[in-house]
Amino acid sequence: MKFFTSITTVVSLLLLKDIKVYGKPTLDTNLDYSFEMDDKVDLSTENVLAQNQTYNSLNTSFNPVMKRDELSNGNFQSINDISYVESLSEVQNPYRGFYTEIVIYLRRNRKSKNHSIPKTNLIRLLVDISDYQKHSIDEEALTFLDKYLEQIKRNHKTIVIRFAYDPGFNGDVSKDPSSDNVRNHQKQVSRVLKKYDDIIASVECGLFGKWGEMHGSSVYSDSEKPKYLNKVINNWLEFLPESLTISVRTPKIYSDWANIDLSKISSQITKPNEKAYRVGIYNDGYLASKSDLGTYKNREQEIKWLKNQAKHTLFGGEFGGIDEDDDMGNVSPTADYMDKEAFLTHTSYLNNGHYNVTISNLKNKKYNGVDKRYKGISGYNYVENHLGYRYVVRGVRLTKSAKSNGIFRMEVDIENVGYGNLVKPKSLSLLVIDNNNNRYDLSEIQSIENGNPNNWNSKEKTTVKVKAILPNGMKNGNYKVYLRIATGTKSKGLNGFPIRFANDDKNIWNESLGANYLGKFSINETSNNNDESEPTISNYVTIKFKGTLDPTLNYYLGVKELKNYEYFDIHDKNSNDSYKYRTWHVTSETKPSLLYLSDGTYGNPGNPSSHCLDLGNHHSTNGYNFLSIVNCENAKHKFMYGGYSSDSIDVYDINGKHLTDNNNNKLCVYYSMTPRIDKCNNDSGKMKWKKSIL
């Protein structure tokens, strides 16, 4: 139950200087500690209305009046110097495509064996750990794995990785270790995998059975297998970073783990705060029979489920061997058939070796599907180009001319023509280059709309809109604009695994920048316009804050949705998970700064949004305000970690003066289900936060 204080009672409790206060929205519940009596407040009619008010997400699109003004005076131009037609050539982007499969061997006594790095952009890396069925993996073997992954990263390759106890991945009956040994091995290798998160497209659950395909064990009976496999799945989810998805062999294995009826799986739509959101399928019987060699029990229903689930998990595998006696139904391993089904399953990766008959047929048969541009092209070429995501720019509009340190606007229409979505986190960066090849980063971003590439869905067109402040010191002249999509905003060139657009234009990709050319604009005079309330993309520090109560379950400071709040909770009461928007950006670690909420989810860096932390008008019975989320240009308070104490989040006014109450107590952020401020010297233990820098 939630309680509120009537407004007539509240007036005498006002402690803060020059801050309006109303009633408390929620209790400090579900944080595994008891709340203080001063957090209990009574219910008032006014505050019931505030609590039940619906808050709309802040619209970060261009101001329509300003946009019409720009168009009317000719300062918002359509770009015509790049081709908006899709290329027929393969574009080697990370985490997708036809792969080469290789096996490496982790062995005791320094006898591990590696493999040369293949030429394909994507590698399916199979790791044989059969030598450790009864042993922990030694440090020499883990170092061997580390160095091999480092070599892959240096070559700018990405991988799908699977571990197994099947010696040599030869399809022998697997003698699987105890679940305790397996858990230990998963924990050990996860330490290495965390270092190379950016090269890993997905982790195939593996480990169990023939080829690590989660079937065919000589140790566990059919009745024991689900319990064993469920532990393996949960271990990966526990040990691997949230940015990595995992995949299991069949929807049946998934449904057993998720405790849902397989016959009703098509109705399940997972949410980002659920563990199941990270679990997908790998299909090593792809289009090899009516059931894909036992992958599906009910193909139609399970593909309906994949249509949603594979939007955010990596789906793929390998073409299976086709037997003349197999019932194929209407299934066919051809580009024309995949034109229908692969867009539903969001197929991102497949083998270009093994089962050579299927591969040869793809290469020899011409595509005759619905995409007229590919008519007469080989089926292999069509499939190769469409595996995973494939972004084609369909239109660009830019500011025609601006002042140095003035406003710059951009709109880019991007169509994802690929079978699938990008499932790894990426950040956008805007670069401009002058005629002397001097580079300027557009770091002061006022707003970004549709700036998360993970949401550029297959078979959809998305318009990305940006409003930014240009850097100081840009001289009069023409400038080229580039969009970079990569891991983090500080990586350069081919580091960070940048994404290339698939336009039929040889000038669109700049390899040295790792960025895509979009058009030109000009600088024609200088200006001193500089609004410090605007967030930045590259000149910031990225931070997370977590409670430190002991012993208890602690949560991150964050919110459920990317929008404004008069007050907010920091975690889901049903799942006990921190809410997904929990990364923040500051312009300084040593001076008070606006605290910009990131559009990155689940602890990933992301980009600064137009939303900032502030103090709201609601407060607890002792008069201290609850935190709010506001449009950054309206934020009235700054924050700094480590001011009053080494682990406090101190609160300042917009001019950098430490906020105090009427008794001159300095004020800091108070850890609570619904976070608020309190005097920094509060000895409840709830003024302490752990800061993590990304």
Side-chain angles (χ1 to χ4, degrees):
M1 180 178 291
K2 299 178 180 180
F3 301 91
F4 291 82
T5 301
S6 66
I7 295 301
T8 55
T9 306
V10 168
V11 175
S12 64
L13 299 174
L14 179 60
L15 296 177
L16 304 184
K17 300 176 181 177
D18 303 321
I19 300 175
K20 293 181 180 180
V21 292
Y22 300 101
K24 178 185 179 348
T26 61
L27 287 176
D28 290 341
T29 55
N30 296 322
L31 280 175
D32 293 343
Y33 58 83
S34 60
F35 54 82
E36 299 172 353
M37 292 302 294
D38 69 3
D39 278 325
K40 292 185 178 180
V41 288
D42 298 323
L43 187 65
S44 71
T45 302
E46 180 172 348
N47 287 315
V48 170
L49 294 174
Q51 180 191 12
N52 293 330
Q53 182 178 352
T54 300
Y55 299 102
N56 295 319
S57 297
L58 180 66
N59 183 2
T60 58
S61 60
F62 297 144
N63 183 305
V65 175
M66 295 180 70
K67 182 174 175 181
R68 283 195 296 270
D69 289 346
E70 281 199 85
L71 290 172
S72 66
N73 65 24
N75 199 35
F76 203 57
Q77 58 176 333
S78 292
I79 301 299
N80 298 310
D81 58 347
I82 60 174
S83 170
Y84 295 132
V85 177
E86 179 192 355
S87 171
L88 295 178
S89 299
E90 160 69 343
V91 177
Q92 295 202 349
N93 276 321
Y95 319 122
R96 38 94 33 222
F98 279 119
Y99 64 80
T100 298
E101 183 175 288
I102 61 173
V103 181
I104 65 171
Y105 303 83
L106 300 191
R107 293 288 184 261
R108 291 178 294 153
N109 302 318
R110 301 183 179 181
K111 293 183 179 180
S112 298
K113 299 179 182 179
N114 64 10
H115 192 289
S116 59
I117 305 298
K119 293 182 179 180
T120 52
N121 194 51
L122 184 67
I123 302 166
R124 190 191 230 179
L125 181 61
L126 306 181
V127 185
D128 178 351
I129 55 174
S130 60
D131 206 29
Y132 294 95
Q133 290 185 358
K134 298 181 180 180
H135 307 274
S136 291
I137 301 174
D138 53 70
E139 287 301 318
E140 288 84 359
L142 293 173
T143 300
F144 172 87
L145 175 62
D146 185 299
K147 290 183 177 179
Y148 190 68
L149 295 182
E150 183 182 22
Q151 186 180 358
I152 290 174
K153 184 171 182 174
R154 283 201 309 268
N155 283 273
H156 306 292
K157 309 290 186 182
T158 56
I159 63 172
V160 174
I161 190 167
R162 185 199 307 174
F163 296 83
Y165 299 101
D166 178 4
F169 286 82
N170 290 320
D172 296 330
V173 176
S174 178
K175 297 181 179 180
D176 302 293
S178 70
S179 58
D180 287 342
N181 270 0
V182 174
R183 177 177 171 83
N184 182 45
H185 294 159
Q186 289 178 276
K187 187 175 184 179
Q188 288 184 295
V189 300
S190 292
R191 287 186 1 232
V192 179
L193 299 186
K194 286 178 182 178
K195 288 180 60 178
Y196 298 98
D197 177 353
D198 55 347
I199 76 168
I200 301 172
S202 186
V203 176
E204 295 179 340
C205 197
L207 292 170
F208 179 88
K210 297 180 179 180
W211 304 287
E213 290 188 17
M214 312 179 81
H215 64 82
S217 171
S218 63
V219 177
Y220 296 96
S221 65
D222 289 343
S223 62
E224 293 175 311
K225 287 177 185 177
K227 183 177 180 181
Y228 180 90
L229 294 179
N230 289 350
K231 289 181 179 179
V232 171
I233 296 168
N234 287 327
N235 291 341
W236 281 134
L237 292 173
E238 177 184 352
F239 296 137
L240 293 172
E242 291 181 344
S243 57
L244 283 179
T245 63
I246 69 169
S247 52
V248 299
R249 179 60 186 86
T250 66
K252 177 64 168 64
I253 293 173
Y254 173 91
S255 66
D256 286 343
W257 168 76
N259 195 28
I260 60 175
D261 187 339
L262 180 62
S263 66
K264 299 177 181 178
I265 195 172
S266 62
S267 63
Q268 194 213 33
I269 299 177
T270 56
K271 299 178 181 179
N273 62 342
E274 298 172 344
K275 290 182 179 179
Y277 193 80
R278 293 171 58 198
V279 183
I281 303 298
Y282 66 94
N283 181 356
D284 278 8
Y286 194 83
L287 304 185
S289 74
K290 185 177 181 179
S291 68
D292 281 8
L293 303 182
T295 299
Y296 302 116
K297 299 295 184 183
N298 183 323
R299 189 183 197 99
E300 181 179 357
Q301 291 302 311
E302 291 161 40
I303 286 177
K304 282 184 180 179
W305 168 72
L306 279 170
K307 183 179 179 181
N308 287 302
Q309 190 70 6
K311 283 183 177 180
H312 44 81
T313 61
L314 198 74
F315 177 82
E318 69 179 24
F319 292 109
I322 298 176
D323 193 305
E324 292 181 359
D325 297 328
D326 288 338
D327 180 8
M328 294 296 292
N330 67 343
V331 174
S332 174
T334 62
D336 291 359
Y337 180 82
M338 291 178 68
D339 210 10
K340 305 170 186 176
E341 186 175 289
F343 281 108
L344 300 177
T345 59
H346 304 301
T347 305
S348 288
Y349 67 104
L350 287 169
N351 56 301
N352 66 358
H354 309 302
Y355 309 114
N356 291 327
V357 173
T358 299
I359 303 299
S360 296
N361 288 341
L362 271 178
K363 291 181 177 179
N364 294 329
K365 189 171 183 178
K366 303 296 183 183
Y367 171 78
N368 192 35
V370 297
D371 192 333
K372 295 181 180 180
R373 178 153 176 78
Y374 280 86
K375 292 281 187 180
I377 302 297
S378 81
Y380 182 91
N381 183 201
Y382 177 83
V383 173
E384 180 181 40
N385 286 3
H386 288 80
L387 288 171
Y389 62 90
R390 183 175 173 89
Y391 301 140
V392 179
V393 177
R394 299 301 195 187
V396 178
R397 294 165 296 283
L398 303 175
T399 292
K400 185 175 182 180
S401 62
K403 302 174 182 180
S404 176
N405 203 212
I407 295 294
F408 174 83
R409 300 176 187 271
M410 177 186 79
E411 292 184 356
V412 186
D413 303 323
I414 299 171
E415 184 178 4
N416 183 356
V417 301
Y419 294 142
N421 288 2
L422 173 69
V423 302
K424 297 281 290 183
K426 293 288 180 182
S427 300
L428 305 186
S429 301
L430 273 176
L431 320 173
V432 293
I433 308 295
D434 67 15
N435 290 333
N436 295 318
N437 213 32
N438 295 312
R439 168 177 168 165
Y440 300 83
D441 293 333
L442 270 63
S443 59
E444 293 194 58
I445 304 298
Q446 289 189 315
S447 63
I448 302 179
E449 182 178 350
N450 299 323
N452 185 351
N454 300 121
N455 297 330
W456 301 350
N457 290 328
S458 170
K459 298 192 79 172
E460 292 182 9
K461 185 167 71 173
T462 302
T463 300
V464 179
K465 300 180 181 181
V466 179
K467 178 183 175 184
I469 296 178
L470 294 166
N472 267 320
M474 297 179 69
K475 298 180 180 179
N476 289 353
N478 295 323
Y479 291 79
K480 293 182 177 180
V481 180
Y482 291 86
L483 180 63
R484 176 174 167 84
I485 310 167
T487 303
T489 57
K490 296 184 179 180
S491 59
K492 294 183 178 181
L494 296 181
N495 295 324
F497 299 94
I499 292 173
R500 178 177 178 175
F501 291 144
N503 290 62
D504 190 15
D505 191 324
K506 65 180 181 180
N507 296 318
I508 201 167
W509 178 245
N510 186 311
E511 186 167 301
S512 64
L513 296 175
N516 299 277
Y517 171 69
L518 295 180
K520 298 176 182 177
F521 77 105
S522 65
I523 296 292
N524 56 24
E525 58 180 302
T526 59
S527 170
N528 292 320
N529 175 34
N530 187 15
D531 183 355
E532 76 168 299
S533 70
E534 304 299 344
T536 66
I537 280 188
S538 60
N539 299 324
Y540 63 78
V541 180
T542 306
I543 295 175
K544 294 188 294 184
F545 299 107
K546 190 175 185 179
T548 62
L549 289 179
D550 186 27
T552 187
L553 180 64
N554 288 291
Y555 300 97
Y556 289 99
L557 179 66
V559 294
K560 184 178 181 179
E561 298 179 52
L562 197 63
K563 67 178 187 180
N564 287 356
Y565 291 86
E566 287 195 1
Y567 51 83
F568 57 88
D569 293 344
I570 63 174
H571 82 92
D572 188 323
K573 302 172 187 176
N574 297 318
S575 67
N576 277 333
D577 290 331
S578 298
Y579 279 133
K580 68 178 183 178
Y581 291 101
R582 52 182 184 252
T583 308
W584 304 85
H585 303 290
V586 295
T587 55
S588 173
E589 288 187 87
T590 58
K591 297 179 180 179
S593 165
L594 291 178
L595 201 55
Y596 302 104
L597 182 61
S598 174
D599 65 5
T601 56
Y602 302 104
N604 290 299
N607 298 312
S609 71
S610 298
H611 307 277
C612 283
L613 191 68
D614 206 356
L615 304 189
N617 292 328
H618 294 278
H619 69 92
S620 64
T621 55
N622 58 9
Y624 292 117
N625 292 60
F626 287 86
L627 301 182
S628 67
I629 302 294
V630 302
N631 188 344
C632 291
E633 65 186 13
N634 297 324
K636 299 295 189 294
H637 297 90
K638 295 182 177 182
F639 301 83
M640 186 178 73
Y641 185 80
Y644 178 82
S645 66
S646 61
D647 46 16
S648 62
I649 304 176
D650 296 61
V651 188
Y652 301 81
D653 66 19
I654 198 66
N655 297 314
K657 182 180 179 181
H658 207 300
L659 209 64
T660 61
D661 62 19
N662 283 340
N663 294 320
N664 287 321
N665 293 304
K666 290 185 176 180
L667 297 173
C668 295
V669 176
Y670 177 97
Y671 178 61
S672 167
M673 168 70 172
T674 309
R676 58 177 173 82
I677 59 173
D678 207 316
K679 53 188 179 182
C680 299
N681 60 7
N682 181 318
D683 59 2
S684 66
K686 300 172 188 175
M687 309 308 294
K688 296 181 179 181
W689 296 81
K690 178 183 178 181
K691 181 180 76 170
S692 301
I693 298 178
L694 280 66

